[in-house]
Amino acid sequence: MTDPAALPDLGAYRRFVVAFSGGKDSLAALLHLLNLGVPAHAIELHHHDVDGHGPTFMDWPCTPAYVRAIAEHFGIALYVSWREGGFARELVRDDAPTAPIAFETPTGIGRAGGNGPAGTRGLFPQRLPIFGCAGAAPL
């Protein structure tokens, strides 16, 4: 059991944002907040739709409906974001900028990005250097 003196003053916060994949870890985080007495109206779930509202490619087909059902069951606000074209579009990107991100807000749909430099992905997963390791080669 955690010493109550070690817990933050949860009453000092107006809003609690949970990055909610729908997996066991994010569900446990949500349930823990509720168990600590955080009211549902103070919690927001933020879910990123990896498939970008397109055909199922990387995520389970049931994930969007499951995430919404959890939010509705607990009476918690849910905001969804997605990269236009999803992960599948990003994989085949050829001499084009990364697609914009669309996201739900309390007042409608917002959009950001998509105007960066043209590039080509063509790899899965993308090759990245390991930062912080002297002389490390790309993966």
Side-chain angles (χ1 to χ4, degrees):
M1 180 100 189
T2 304
D3 176 11
L7 293 174
D9 176 12
L10 298 179
Y13 296 89
R14 291 179 306 127
R15 182 172 44 160
F16 297 80
V17 175
V18 178
F20 195 73
S21 68
K24 63 183 184 255
D25 296 331
S26 59
L27 181 58
L30 169 62
L31 295 175
H32 185 63
L33 286 174
L34 293 169
N35 191 46
L36 289 173
V38 174
H41 67 81
I43 300 172
E44 291 180 3
L45 302 180
H46 288 249
H47 175 72
H48 185 74
D49 181 352
V50 177
D51 291 329
H53 285 107
T56 299
F57 179 68
M58 290 292 291
D59 222 339
W60 293 99
C62 62
T63 299
Y66 171 74
V67 167
R68 288 209 183 274
I70 293 291
E72 289 173 10
H73 175 78
F74 289 107
I76 294 172
L78 170 67
Y79 298 101
V80 178
S81 63
W82 60 95
R83 183 170 303 281
E84 293 178 3
F87 189 61
R89 179 197 178 274
E90 182 64 14
L91 281 176
V92 298
R93 182 168 52 92
D94 185 20
D95 197 31
T98 298
I101 298 278
F103 50 93
E104 296 175 346
T105 73
T107 58
I109 303 295
R111 192 170 183 260
N115 53 0
T120 299
R121 174 118 183 195
L123 298 172
F124 178 76
Q126 185 171 359
R127 292 171 54 123
L128 294 174
I130 300 173
F131 295 103
C133 300
L139 298 173

